[in-house]
């Protein structure tokens, strides 16, 4: 759990610094796009890999399906919530395209900050669920923690739309 805490703190600091660098007026828009695309796709890959390994692991166990149910429940909750938040962030960014009020002032900063806080919220909540699933014979906590890191990176995909709207 300490390793996860260190990884989560390091990831959050990296995302915060990356967000601050992207917010500078002279930041290269193509570099922002590439970095956020790579981070978002890495998050998708990490999450898919952890899910695949987890499914292989829990289907081999003889525990009356408890591990499978607990493992898949995380994804049945976390992925739709993540998708809904990403959709809200994208819609907020697209709304700025048509509204002069949303395009200026604090609104762009708020949208980027909401993205960063969504990642932090995911990194913070995942260990609580993972601790509830920890069993003596069913070690699925590490897979859930890795998925939490992957899901927190998925939010970077919404920034692609935000930065695209700002350029136009």
């Amino acid at each position: 759990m300490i390793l996860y805490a260190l990884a989560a703190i390091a990831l959050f600091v990296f995302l915060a610094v990356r967000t601050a660098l992207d917010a500078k007026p002279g930041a290269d828009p193509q570099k922002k796009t590439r970095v956020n695309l790579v981070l978002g796709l890495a998050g998708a890959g990490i999450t898919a890999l952890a899910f695949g390994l987890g499914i292989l692991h829990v289907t081999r166990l003889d525990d009356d399906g408890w591990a499978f149910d607990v493992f898949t429940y995380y994804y049945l909750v976390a992925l739709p919530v993540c998708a809904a938040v990403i959709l809200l962030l994208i819609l907020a960014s697209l709304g700025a395209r048509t509204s002069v009020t949303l395009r200026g002032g604090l609104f762009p900063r708020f949208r980027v900050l909401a993205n960063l806080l969504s990642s932090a919220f995911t990194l913070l909540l995942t260990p609580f669920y993972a601790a509830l699933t920890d069993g003596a014979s069913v070690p699925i906590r590490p897979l859930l923690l890795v998925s939490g890191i992957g899901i927190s990176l998925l939010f970077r995909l919404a920034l692609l739309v935000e930065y695209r709207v700002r350029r136009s």
Side-chain angles (χ1 to χ4, degrees), residues 10 12 17 26 38 41 45 50 53 77 97 103-104 114 119-120 134-135 138 147-148 151 158-159 164-165:
F12 180 73
V17 168
V38 167
L41 293 177
L53 290 174
V77 172
R97 189 169 196 167
R103 206 174 303 152
S119 293
D134 207 18
V138 187
S147 289
I151 290 172
L159 288 177
R164 178 73 177 177
V165 166

Side-chain angles (χ1 to χ4, degrees), residues 44-68:
I46 290 168
T47 304
L49 181 65
F51 178 75
L53 290 174
I55 290 296
L56 287 174
H57 178 64
V58 298
T59 53
R60 292 183 183 173
L61 299 172
D62 186 30
D63 65 345
D64 297 326
W66 175 84
F68 182 80

Side-chain angles (χ1 to χ4, degrees), residues 127-139:
F128 289 110
Y129 183 78
L132 293 173
T133 64
D134 207 18
S137 64
V138 187

Side-chain angles (χ1 to χ4, degrees), residues 23 32 108-109 111-112 161-168:
K32 288 192 293 191
R109 289 184 186 143
R111 290 190 299 269
V112 172
V161 177
E162 174 67 27
Y163 295 141
R164 178 73 177 177
V165 166
R166 286 185 188 183
R167 272 192 286 167
S168 59

